[in-house]
Amino acid sequence: MSDVNISKLKGIVGDAYVIDFPSEMAKYLKGQGKPAVVVLPASTSEVSSIVKLANEKNVKLGVGGAVVDTQGITGGIAMVMSRMNRILEMDHLNLVAVVEPGLLHKEFLLKVGEAGLNFPPEPYVIETSSIGGCFAIGDSDSKSFEYGPTRTFLLGFEMVLPTGEILEIGNKCIKNVSGLDFIHFAVGSQGTFGIFTKLLVKLLPVPEAKKAVIGTFASMHKANATFNTLIKRNVHPTRMNLINASLAKIAKPGTEGQLVIIDLQGFKESGKNIVNEVASVLTLGGGSDVKIIEEGAEYDQVINGWLKARAELNAKPSEIVEFVVGPMKMPQALSQLEAQTGELGAYPGIIVEGLLGYVCLALPEGTDKLALARKVNKLAMSLGGNVKGLLGHKLKAEVYNDAEMWKQTTSLLSELRQQFDPKGILNPGVSLEA
Amino acid sequence: MGVLADVYEMLNTCNKCGGCHTACKTYKLTGSEEMSTRGRIQLIKAVADGKLEPNEEYEDAIMSCLLCGECAVTCPNGVHGNELVMAARRDLKLRKGIKPFAKSFALKTLASPKRLGMGFRLFGGMGKSVLNKIDGLDYFRGIDIKNFPTAKKPFLEQVPEKIKVQNPKHKVGFYVGCFLNHSLDQTAHSVVKVLAKNDCEVIIPKDQVCCGLPQYCYGDYETAKTNARKTIDTFLDKYSDAEVVLTACASCGSMLRHDYLKLFADEPSYLPKVKLFCDKVVEFSEYMAKIGVDQSKLHNSSPLTVTYHDPCHMVRGLKATKQPRELLQMIPRVDYKEMFEANRCCGAAGLIQAFYHEVSTDITDQKTQNIKDTNADLVATSCPACMLRLQGGINKAGQKQKVMHVADVMANAYED
Amino acid sequence: MLSQAVVKRLKEIVGERNVVTDKVGLLTYGYDGTLLSGEALGVVSPTTTEQVVEIVKLMNEQDIKLVPRGAGTNESGGTIPSAKSVVISFTKMTKIHEIDTENFVAVVEPGVINFDLQVELAKKNFYFPPDPSSFKASTIGGNLGECSGGPKCFKYGVTRDYMLGLEVVLPNGKVIQTGGRNFQSEPGYDLTRIIVGSEGILGLVTKVFVRILPIPRAKKTMLALYDKVEDASQTVADIVAAGIIPTTLELMDNLLINTTEDFTHAGLPRDAGAVLIIEVDGYPEDMDGQVKTIGEIASKIAKEFKVAQTAVEVDQIWTSRRSAFGSVARVRPSYGVNDITVPRSNFPKAIGGVLKVAKDFGVTIGVVAHAGDGNLHPLILFDQRNKEETETVHAAEQALCMMALDLEGTISGEHGIGLVKKKYLDKEFTPAAMEAFRKIKRSFDPSNRFNPGKIIDL
Ligand SMILES: Cc1cc2nc3c(=O)[nH]c(=O)nc-3n(C[C@H](O)[C@H](O)[C@H](O)COP(=O)(O)OP(=O)(O)OC[C@H]3O[C@@H](n4cnc5c(N)ncnc54)[C@H](O)[C@@H]3O)c2cc1C
Ligand SMILES: Cc1cc2nc3c(=O)[nH]c(=O)nc-3n(C[C@H](O)[C@H](O)[C@H](O)COP(=O)(O)OP(=O)(O)OC[C@H]3O[C@@H](n4cnc5c(N)ncnc54)[C@H](O)[C@@H]3O)c2cc1C
Ligand code: SF4
Ligand code: SF4
């Protein structure tokens, strides 16, 4: 039973782009929910009409780039943005692009690269992530120390609000404090404030040089110790990442041990010295197969391997725990963590982003996520960090024994959501309660 | 509104940019806008515009200014906050006389040599005998009463009018000033000794009076003028053979050389004489650097780490910063260390230390810390008020450094 | 007038000395960097978060508005007291709780002056990249309130990019923490970001976790001199096109060269039409190549290009640049400063637009610009005492804003909206966007308690 008016939908986007046979719908969906229909709009006005339609009957609507998360939209509409995948403008003078949200993140990277420019944010899940999703999630990644997190790269957008109204905001200026900063506030709103239909994205000149150093280590601790050495030596590469043994095989088939990937972008002249410095630090720190990579194809392979390992964890958010501590506190964090998890190398997946003091753990099957997160959060807090995200805030409030603060935070968040989406139509699966 | 009308253009030039916030110690330490240069200026402007009747809070804002002049060198618009405050004080005086306590306690005392001697003695003596008995009152408003030095006899009564040397190359008139006369007579002796060692005959007029700076600062231009006229006439008429009028007090120096001109700006007939006088005024370090010191005569047996504090009137008044440092470094085995913010006010600031002691105590504490950070054994400076303030602060903090005038440091380096 | 009872309560909360209700006190908290002024009912200066909470509760009880204030150097009228309000001044919350260089974070109270933080950081060879020209006076709370920029934005971004987490007292008197002490985005609504730049209308910030960076190993400062402002803007475009990201691309026109010279005597040629200050930083090995490329680009048009050789020289150049706003009162006593920003490619057009406005309205305009960011500061010089002239200036200001919007720019690149630019806001934003702002304000502050009337009306 559904209130979705299929024929009206067809009237909006055309018959071919309204799919309601479950077997055909499947490739556009993930998760347990059962939406009544998948719809693929081609323009902002179509998106707007669809949302207005959903509004009339109070139908829930989920959005995705190529694939829609079905949580909370049983009987509702799954909106797939993949037809809105054009790059509308590539402006070299201002270093900006105007792009539609359904374009896959990886495709966008390709086009930007061809234009001789650089878009630093990493795709979450290489194969499916869209550029709209990139900003809807709005995370940081292992390059953020140098380039800033994803939000840094959004200058404006067009959005269809939960009421169907169209909102445009932003401009090509890299400095803009006019009004309240809704532009960056919308980053990370996961489609709850509205559906991006156009994005005005900031780009950078392509780095003059790219080099990497990789090495493998018998233990996570030894590998991680080299990061501290580098930071102490005032070397801050673009990426400084570590993948545990079980996951390393995905990043670089055949790897035995924990894999360290140091990425150096820019640093045209200095890079020559820095790669050597990095390589010796890795070698002296007990790394084997330490290799300096300067050749383009091989470099790309290393980075893609990294992204693959990342995607592995990103794709199953319910089975990971993420935390941050100060970068220099990481050795303590890892040893204390080991007490919880057992040998780190054997754990299903562990990623360390050294410059950010970030750790992502893929949990073994059957783990009580919340219980582990609680322990990890205590550990992180003792080192000046916390479990990442809303969950972290909740757990922090628990530790402070400050239920009031947590209540205030969530009630503020739901008030905001309520203001924008009073009927609770958009992405109802997204939870603000952690 | 005469006085304020004269400075109105400058008042109006302040565009409230806040650039002076960083300069103004009274703001930095209190975080109160009315204690900032910008705040003071806007208040003075409000009074000038008739939007504010001067009241007690206004007087506090105006009287708590250290007149350190930092704001004047910091303001990108060339607004001189200290001068505007001076105008406001003058305006206050014209309106209703000065704050009663300031008037009775200090200004009158300073104006008359006799009373001044009494004042110093009373203050010092009382500190030692009476206040000493009260626990915790060693520091009255941040002033080190216990150790406040008082000359047994004014310096002027201890020395002859002329101090002769064997081969006089120069003739120097010595303007002693209140502090050296009544309190730090030892420093005055040091000045004479160093001058004599460098072949200067020293002339010390016995009938010299207070330079008038304290009165001038609090808007009592009349008394200030009386004293100024007396000083000028004494040196130019009675002791015209003195090539220069030398002072070892930067504050007196700045008053004698710069402010006298302003004070007599409205007396064109007398002004040429004032100019003549002002041109003769020289500060101790300036003079020694100018005539050149024979380094070979300086001795010093043990290593000494020395730092230097720039008195406000030395750095921003007389604009002399190099000379004292050069002199100190001439002394053998002296390791000279610059302190952080050497040129910032020490908190003495005339009467401020007594009336707005919370502020000035904080300022001194910062200074004391900066001194400590240098690890110096000795702090040299060029103004007796700073010497007393600094030594008080150092003692209070339980530190060991000695504070001396540059002249004292040099005098010690000459064998008797 | 505040009732005796309220004054008494306030004094109980923050102590006798931290409550001001006399005329003198109120006058000095009634202005900011603009020409506006107002008078509050009182000024209260808390020293702890708990005191802030108590104040907010009391004000809620009494239905009195609160106007947060840092050093009051903003150029938007953002701290001008509204009717029936109490100013809450953060200048006495000046503790630097912690500087943790190993983990790139400092924890400070909002009243810490940007410069004081820089001094402490410099001792450890670190710095805090946002440094508005007013950094010697302005507070971290004020910087974040306006999301201030500064000369280094081109490479390093603005205040927003260095805020890791905040402690915020909400209008209902409750305290929340946003973000954290680590440099990781918080997925979900980024409350830190919406508070930054909100000019005190959403929450009172009582603790700030800021990101700090090691001072770059090497830095080169260059000067290029031009006959005309337009020429300088071409170099800017060329440098960016060459793929170089300097930390700084600052421009001053002839008028500003002269007023700052009067103050600093840095030796800038008084007859130059414009000067461009260019700075690059990074690893020493990378400097020469960049300086060379920039030199080649600049020399195509500039009449002179030079690289500063000594630290003193660099210092002088920066003193000049930093004193630019301040120094113009040497010409005329009042100035209206603007911070319009345009896409970089339209920068030359914007310069042309400014010159046209100056001509059309018959006003004197000096130009300083963060040229790399397309951010201009046309300074209109006048005398506020002349009513007619003042009217003309307001009209010229409006024309500048409209010009920026026509060039697809924004009316505010770094100073904020406050009261001064509120009237143009709906020219930049569609009704839907304006409504989005209101939704946000309503979510935080339904009773319009904090800094009412700034940016938007409810
Ligand atoms: C903090 C965080 C929380 C996560 N929570 C979940 C979760 O609860 N469930 C889950 O299955 N995965 C979740 N993920 C995983 C995440 O969805 C995927 O790893 C990643 O986004 C790629 O998925 P995708 O290919 O579906 O991306 P995309 O299709 O690009 O979508 C990613 C997100 O963006 C939204 N979105 C996409 N396009 C638009 C648009 N045009 N306008 C507005 N919003 C848009 C989607 O609704 C979705 O929330 C989370 C990831 C992170 C980093
Ligand atoms: C000479 C000069 C040069 C300048 N140069 C620059 C420049 O280069 N770049 C630039 O961006 N700006 C510049 N400015 C503008 C101004 O200095 C900045 O906006 C500065 O950040 C304001 O800081 P402040 O401490 O003075 O804040 P204030 O002016 O006191 O306040 C600014 C805003 O923040 C709010 N606020 C203050 N503290 C808090 C708090 N704790 N919680 C919540 N809200 C708070 C206030 O309500 C107000 O809306 C300049 C100004 C001048 C006068
Ligand atoms: S005195 Fe000068 S520095 Fe101070 S606010 Fe006024 S113009 Fe600015
Ligand atoms: S003279 Fe000194 S104390 Fe007085 S306003 Fe200027 S800086 Fe402040």
Side-chain angles (χ1 to χ4, degrees):
Chain A
M1 273 311 295
S2 169
D3 285 330
V4 181
N5 188 331
I6 303 283
S7 63
K8 277 203 179 158
L9 278 178
K10 288 183 172 167
I12 296 169
V13 297
D15 293 1
Y17 301 109
V18 178
I19 302 161
D20 58 350
F21 284 121
S23 58
E24 283 176 44
M25 283 163 66
K27 69 169 180 177
Y28 298 107
L29 304 176
K30 66 178 173 186
Q32 310 305 318
K34 300 251 173 302
V37 63
V38 169
V39 54
L40 295 98
S43 69
T44 305
S45 67
E46 289 182 9
V47 173
S48 165
S49 305
I50 296 167
V51 174
K52 280 187 183 147
L53 187 68
N55 249 287
E56 281 169 20
K57 290 276 166 71
N58 219 339
V59 171
K60 309 290 175 200
L61 192 153
V63 199
V67 177
V68 178
D69 184 351
T70 55
Q71 201 181 343
I73 54 165
T74 293
I77 301 172
M79 190 189 297
V80 175
M81 304 301 287
S82 58
R83 287 176 71 215
M84 293 180 69
N85 61 354
R86 291 171 303 165
I87 293 180
L88 302 174
E89 196 184 342
M90 189 74 82
D91 177 345
H92 285 262
L93 279 176
N94 293 304
L95 299 179
V96 298
V98 183
V99 54
E100 290 185 329
L103 182 66
L104 286 185
H105 191 143
K106 63 170 184 176
E107 303 276 335
F108 184 57
L109 291 181
L110 227 58
K111 291 277 167 30
V112 167
E114 282 167 13
L117 298 170
N118 181 17
F119 178 68
E122 297 175 351
Y124 300 113
V125 177
I126 311 179
E127 295 310 321
T128 59
S129 289
S130 65
I131 204 72
C134 171
F135 288 106
I137 300 280
D139 213 342
S140 39
D141 60 47
S142 67
K143 278 195 279 184
S144 299
F145 187 89
E146 173 165 345
Y147 293 112
T150 301
R151 97 175 89 78
T152 319
F153 296 91
L154 192 64
L155 298 178
F157 53 78
E158 178 188 80
M159 175 183 262
V160 172
L161 297 173
T163 51
E165 215 181 337
I166 298 167
L167 180 150
E168 283 177 279
I169 195 166
N171 49 54
K172 290 181 179 175
C173 305
I174 61 168
K175 233 158 117 191
N176 177 5
V177 299
S178 196
L180 286 173
D181 191 3
F182 185 58
I183 299 171
H184 295 102
F185 195 40
V187 176
S189 64
Q190 299 172 74
T192 61
F193 286 159
I195 301 167
F196 289 126
T197 47
K198 221 182 262 174
L199 298 149
L200 179 54
V201 175
K202 174 182 157 179
L203 302 172
L204 295 173
V206 86
E208 286 184 293
K210 287 184 184 177
K211 297 185 177 69
V213 184
I214 57 170
T216 49
F217 288 76
S219 93
M220 288 288 277
H221 305 288
K222 282 208 156 157
N224 180 68
T226 61
F227 292 177
N228 286 41
T229 311
L230 288 173
I231 293 178
K232 277 202 195 121
R233 296 174 72 102
N234 212 358
V235 176
H236 307 113
T238 309
R239 286 184 174 99
M240 192 163 81
N241 299 341
L242 166 58
I243 308 171
N244 82 334
S246 0
L247 202 55
K249 296 195 169 52
I250 293 178
K252 188 167 177 281
T255 306
E256 288 299 329
Q258 345 286 328
L259 180 64
V260 163
I261 300 177
I262 310 282
D263 178 16
L264 293 156
Q265 305 190 355
F267 309 111
K268 192 176 174 196
E269 291 302 319
S270 57
K272 294 174 191 158
N273 300 330
I274 300 173
V275 280
N276 290 326
E277 188 176 346
V278 171
S280 11
V281 168
L282 295 194
T283 310
L284 289 172
S288 47
D289 308 328
V290 173
K291 188 170 179 204
I292 294 175
I293 293 164
E294 299 187 278
E295 194 268 322
E298 198 182 357
Y299 171 89
D300 289 344
Q301 214 175 6
V302 169
I303 299 302
N304 281 330
W306 157 253
L307 293 177
K308 246 191 255 161
R310 241 333 330 195
E312 196 64 20
L313 305 192
N314 283 341
K316 38 188 183 191
S318 56
E319 292 158 46
I320 58 171
V321 169
E322 304 165 284
F323 71 93
V324 273
V325 295
M328 295 298 278
K329 298 274 166 59
M330 190 57 79
Q332 285 137 285
L334 292 183
S335 7
Q336 292 180 28
L337 185 65
E338 197 146 37
Q340 309 286 341
T341 61
E343 217 272 298
L344 295 175
Y347 214 62
I350 300 182
I351 275 177
V352 177
E353 295 176 356
L355 284 164
L356 291 122
Y358 164 90
V359 179
C360 182
L361 303 168
L363 309 180
E365 232 168 286
T367 310
D368 179 348
K369 175 172 166 168
L370 191 63
L372 182 71
R374 247 189 212 113
K375 287 186 197 147
V376 169
N377 188 58
K378 280 226 175 87
L379 169 173
M381 280 183 76
S382 72
L383 300 171
N386 51 269
V387 159
K388 197 174 149 172
L390 266 179
L391 177 60
H393 274 271
K394 182 180 182 172
L395 297 177
K396 259 204 289 195
E398 260 181 43
V399 174
Y400 294 148
N401 209 358
D402 195 342
E404 185 60 36
M405 185 183 285
W406 176 241
K407 207 176 106 209
Q408 274 308 311
T409 309
T410 50
S411 74
L412 178 60
L413 298 181
S414 23
E415 179 59 33
L416 282 158
R417 185 173 190 173
Q418 170 85 16
Q419 285 279 342
F420 280 86
D421 188 3
K423 293 186 186 166
I425 287 177
L426 280 193
N427 273 6
V430 172
S431 162
L432 300 178
E433 297 282 334
Chain B
M1 216 64 43
V3 193
L4 296 186
D6 289 346
V7 293
Y8 196 83
E9 273 314 305
M10 191 185 273
L11 281 173
N12 198 48
T13 302
C14 166
N15 56 21
K16 299 179 291 191
C17 73
C20 47
H21 268 180
T22 175
C24 187
K25 281 276 183 207
T26 56
Y27 171 74
K28 278 283 239 195
L29 288 169
T30 59
S32 295
E33 182 73 23
E34 66 271 28
M35 296 281 260
S36 72
T37 317
R38 177 175 70 169
R40 291 185 177 112
I41 294 174
Q42 292 311 312
L43 289 173
I44 299 169
K45 183 150 177 271
V47 169
D49 288 339
K51 288 186 188 147
L52 176 70
E53 258 319 297
N55 55 15
E56 209 175 296
E57 288 86 11
Y58 174 75
E59 282 185 25
D60 272 342
I62 298 306
M63 293 301 178
S64 59
C65 166
L66 306 169
L67 294 182
C68 67
E70 276 281 350
C71 49
V73 290
T74 312
C75 173
N77 279 318
V79 174
H80 293 193
N82 50 340
E83 286 175 22
L84 295 173
V85 167
M86 291 275 287
R89 289 183 180 179
R90 175 67 179 158
D91 172 63
L92 274 177
K93 154 85 181 157
L94 292 179
R95 279 168 197 261
K96 51 194 268 197
I98 308 224
K99 255 184 144 165
F101 56 83
K103 195 163 184 162
S104 59
F105 170 76
L107 300 181
K108 273 202 182 143
T109 330
L110 287 173
S112 113
K114 256 213 201 103
R115 279 212 220 147
L116 178 59
M118 269 167 53
F120 268 103
R121 243 164 296 274
L122 197 82
F123 198 60
M126 204 169 67
K128 280 170 203 150
S129 61
V130 185
L131 295 179
N132 239 358
K133 295 188 184 120
I134 309 169
D135 254 6
L137 247 179
D138 290 355
Y139 299 95
F140 172 67
R141 301 182 155 174
I143 303 171
D144 185 358
I145 295 167
K146 201 172 172 186
N147 296 305
F148 200 90
T150 319
K152 296 231 165 47
K153 207 156 87 168
F155 172 76
L156 288 173
E157 290 171 24
Q158 300 175 32
V159 287
E161 191 168 278
K162 223 173 228 158
I163 302 202
K164 299 233 189 255
V165 291
Q166 275 185 346
N167 307 306
K169 288 194 191 135
H170 309 280
K171 267 193 183 167
V172 175
F174 183 18
Y175 177 79
V176 180
C178 307
F179 264 107
L180 293 197
N181 188 26
H182 292 288
S183 182
L184 297 169
D185 54 333
Q186 210 41 54
T187 301
H189 285 295
S190 298
V191 171
V192 171
K193 178 174 170 188
V194 176
L195 284 170
K197 289 278 180 193
N198 286 283
D199 309 321
C200 300
E201 183 176 305
V202 189
I203 303 161
I204 311 171
K206 294 285 168 160
D207 49 352
Q208 45 180 291
V209 295
C210 172
C211 66
L213 177 67
Q215 300 80 7
Y216 181 58
C217 283
Y218 286 90
D220 182 1
Y221 291 9
E222 292 73 18
T223 315
K225 258 189 180 176
T226 312
N227 282 23
R229 207 183 304 271
K230 173 100 172 77
T231 307
I232 294 170
D233 292 346
T234 302
F235 276 92
L236 289 193
D237 301 346
K238 283 171 71 182
Y239 302 92
S240 57
D241 53 338
E243 295 157 27
V244 294
V245 178
L246 179 140
T247 168
C249 170
S251 300
C252 297
S254 162
M255 177 75 182
L256 299 176
R257 184 145 92 206
H258 297 309
D259 297 321
Y260 277 13
L261 283 171
K262 293 183 206 151
L263 204 50
F264 289 103
D266 57 353
E267 273 186 51
S269 58
Y270 191 60
L271 206 52
K273 189 165 176 190
V274 180
K275 278 211 180 86
L276 210 64
F277 175 82
C278 292
D279 287 344
K280 277 193 161 187
V281 175
V282 68
E283 189 277 334
F284 171 80
S285 293
E286 289 180 325
Y287 189 66
M288 297 319 297
K290 190 172 141 220
I291 62 171
V293 172
D294 183 354
Q295 201 169 356
S296 66
K297 288 194 198 150
L298 294 165
H299 301 283
N300 176 30
S301 48
S302 53
L304 197 64
T305 307
V306 180
T307 187
Y308 178 76
H309 160 74
D310 296 281
C312 295
H313 283 120
M314 192 77 173
V315 50
R316 285 169 292 275
L318 299 171
K319 300 200 166 45
T321 54
K322 280 213 295 276
Q323 299 92 327
R325 288 175 172 78
E326 279 167 15
L327 292 175
L328 292 169
Q329 291 178 62
M330 275 185 169
I331 300 169
R333 315 196 64 177
V334 158
D335 177 17
Y336 181 77
K337 283 256 167 59
E338 194 65 31
M339 74 172 98
F340 180 64
E341 295 194 335
N343 62 6
R344 303 296 296 263
C345 179
C346 68
L351 300 172
I352 297 296
Q353 49 185 327
F355 302 145
Y356 298 94
H357 52 97
E358 300 97 330
V359 185
S360 67
T361 305
D362 286 352
I363 296 176
T364 309
D365 289 349
Q366 268 190 3
K367 195 80 198 182
T368 314
Q369 183 60 42
N370 293 342
I371 290 171
K372 190 175 173 189
D373 292 344
T374 61
N375 284 324
D377 311 306
L378 196 156
V379 188
T381 187
S382 305
C383 171
C386 299
M387 288 169 69
L388 293 172
R389 184 76 198 172
L390 291 173
Q391 193 68 66
I394 287 171
N395 295 350
K396 181 168 153 245
Q399 292 169 212
K400 296 270 174 290
Q401 298 84 3
K402 254 192 95 47
V403 183
M404 287 179 147
H405 197 284
V406 176
D408 294 322
V409 186
M410 290 189 71
N412 284 349
Y414 284 107
E415 276 157 16
D416 285 314
Chain C
M1 275 277 283
L2 286 177
S3 74
Q4 281 311 309
V6 174
V7 174
K8 182 162 166 285
R9 282 285 295 123
L10 284 174
K11 287 185 173 168
E12 279 163 13
I13 297 169
V14 296
E16 188 87 21
R17 288 172 67 182
N18 295 324
V19 179
V20 169
T21 50
D22 63 85
K23 174 103 179 160
V24 161
L26 298 183
L27 266 175
T28 53
Y29 288 87
Y31 52 75
D32 55 19
T34 64
L35 298 172
L36 304 173
S37 62
E39 204 170 302
L41 300 172
V43 181
V44 52
S45 309
T47 49
T48 65
T49 307
E50 291 70 34
Q51 293 180 357
V52 176
V53 168
E54 289 308 311
I55 294 167
V56 172
K57 285 189 183 151
L58 180 65
M59 294 299 112
N60 274 327
E61 206 178 277
Q62 301 288 330
D63 196 16
I64 297 169
K65 309 287 183 193
L66 266 176
V67 178
R69 188 177 193 274
T73 68
N74 71 84
E75 297 283 7
S76 67
T79 52
I80 301 299
S82 49
K84 214 169 165 306
S85 66
V86 162
V87 168
I88 180 163
S89 165
F90 287 96
T91 47
K92 296 187 186 180
M93 288 182 77
T94 54
K95 275 201 264 324
I96 297 179
H97 288 296
E98 192 188 340
I99 291 177
D100 178 356
T101 53
E102 289 203 327
N103 301 301
F104 309 102
V105 56
V107 188
V108 303
E109 289 185 343
V112 169
I113 291 166
N114 183 308
F115 177 73
D116 292 347
L117 177 62
Q118 307 284 10
V119 168
E120 289 309 311
L121 291 173
K123 292 181 188 164
K124 305 180 178 210
N125 212 25
F126 266 67
Y127 76 118
F128 173 60
D131 61 341
S133 302
S134 59
F135 81 131
K136 286 201 171 171
S138 61
T139 62
I140 299 296
N143 294 166
L144 86 87
E146 302 291 0
C147 186
S148 291
K152 291 206 219 45
C153 302
F154 189 42
K155 177 165 177 184
Y156 287 103
V158 292
T159 302
R160 175 196 308 130
D161 302 314
Y162 294 87
M163 296 292 132
L164 301 174
L166 307 172
E167 177 182 83
V168 185
V169 179
L170 297 172
N172 62 8
K174 297 286 174 14
V175 184
I176 58 165
Q177 281 187 3
T178 71
R181 51 179 288 143
N182 296 292
F183 185 52
Q184 270 280 345
S185 312
E186 292 294 322
Y189 297 171
D190 192 345
L191 294 175
T192 312
R193 247 38 67 183
I194 195 65
I195 303 254
V196 174
S198 68
E199 306 188 25
I201 72 170
L202 302 181
L204 304 178
V205 176
T206 48
K207 199 196 273 182
V208 195
F209 295 77
V210 302
R211 184 180 189 218
I212 55 175
L213 292 180
I215 291 175
R217 295 191 190 186
K219 179 173 90 175
K220 284 279 176 200
T221 309
M222 294 152 267
L223 275 184
L225 300 159
Y226 300 84
D227 290 325
K228 299 200 302 287
V229 192
E230 298 90 313
D231 295 350
S233 62
Q234 188 55 46
T235 297
V236 173
D238 292 349
I239 290 175
V240 177
I244 295 179
I245 307 229
T247 46
T248 293
L249 273 169
E250 298 283 294
L251 178 144
M252 289 199 290
D253 72 357
N254 176 274
L255 189 131
L256 272 309
I257 290 175
N258 278 285
T259 54
T260 59
E261 263 311 295
D262 288 344
F263 172 54
T264 59
H265 312 289
L268 299 176
R270 287 174 180 270
D271 59 343
V275 58
L276 204 56
I277 305 170
I278 311 165
E279 204 163 272
V280 290
D281 69 8
Y283 284 84
E285 300 96 310
D286 297 326
M287 293 295 101
D288 288 350
Q290 296 193 17
V291 169
K292 184 160 165 274
T293 315
I294 292 173
E296 281 162 13
I297 292 171
S299 303
K300 280 193 292 189
I301 315 167
K303 61 176 195 173
E304 200 186 330
F305 173 81
K306 60 181 178 191
V307 185
Q309 301 301 337
T310 64
V312 178
E313 236 177 292
V314 172
D315 241 31
Q316 273 183 337
I317 293 172
W318 278 112
T319 312
S320 291
R321 167 57 192 90
R322 289 225 154 86
S323 54
F325 285 15
S327 67
V328 291
R330 288 170 186 271
V331 184
R332 302 293 306 277
S334 320
Y335 73 85
V337 61
N338 212 306
D339 65 326
I340 49 173
T341 306
V342 297
R344 214 179 285 119
S345 61
N346 281 339
F347 186 72
K349 280 192 202 142
I351 290 283
V354 171
L355 299 179
K356 183 167 177 322
V357 168
K359 193 156 153 254
D360 290 354
F361 291 82
V363 285
T364 308
I365 306 188
V367 182
V368 205
H370 309 295
D373 314 335
N375 183 189
L376 293 91
H377 293 310
L379 291 149
I380 312 184
L381 311 188
F382 64 110
D383 190 334
Q384 196 183 6
R385 288 169 290 187
N386 182 335
K387 288 270 172 305
E388 203 178 317
E389 194 182 20
T390 308
E391 288 304 308
T392 313
V393 169
H394 288 320
E397 274 174 342
Q398 173 154 6
L400 288 170
C401 287
M402 294 311 129
M403 182 267 290
L405 293 179
D406 284 344
L407 293 174
E408 296 170 344
T410 169
I411 57 175
S412 182
E414 57 178 23
H415 290 168
I417 299 302
L419 293 174
V420 172
K421 288 191 166 171
K422 196 171 132 190
K423 51 185 174 295
Y424 313 128
L425 203 63
D426 62 356
K427 303 275 190 307
E428 174 163 353
F429 294 100
T430 60
M434 296 286 282
E435 188 51 31
F437 299 158
R438 277 186 217 107
K439 284 174 184 162
I440 295 168
K441 169 75 172 169
R442 272 198 294 267
S443 306
F444 279 85
D445 188 11
S447 53
N448 205 12
R449 177 82 43 224
F450 288 177
N451 219 359
K454 310 294 156 55
I455 308 182
I456 35 155
D457 288 316
L458 264 193

